[in-house]
Amino acid sequence: MPAVVKCPTCGKDVAWVPENKFRPFCSDRCKQIDLGAWASEKYVIGGKPGDSTPELPEDPDD
């Protein structure tokens, strides 16, 4: 039995199967609504402008 997830846009149950080309969304419409939200900056990733990724420690085996 395939895993079932909720569509992030409308909350409808969606089977997580390769045949569902819009997963995790239920449809192209829900996928486009989500993309539009990112484009209009309704969603943001935390941090301040100019913040850089912290440096990782050097690997002693290199």
Side-chain angles (χ1 to χ4, degrees):
M1 181 172 192
V4 175
V5 298
K6 297 280 186 191
C7 174
T9 303
C10 71
K12 180 179 173 182
D13 287 343
V14 179
W16 192 270
V17 293
E19 294 81 23
N20 178 2
K21 63 182 180 177
F22 305 114
R23 70 180 185 226
F25 303 98
C26 66
S27 66
D28 187 48
R29 179 180 177 274
C30 281
K31 184 174 124 180
Q32 293 300 322
I33 290 169
D34 185 76
L35 178 61
W38 279 103
S40 65
E41 298 183 354
K42 288 183 182 176
Y43 302 144
V44 294
I45 296 173
K48 297 177 187 168
D51 281 355
S52 63
T53 305
E55 295 286 327
L56 296 175
E58 289 189 29
D59 188 351
D61 294 334
D62 284 341

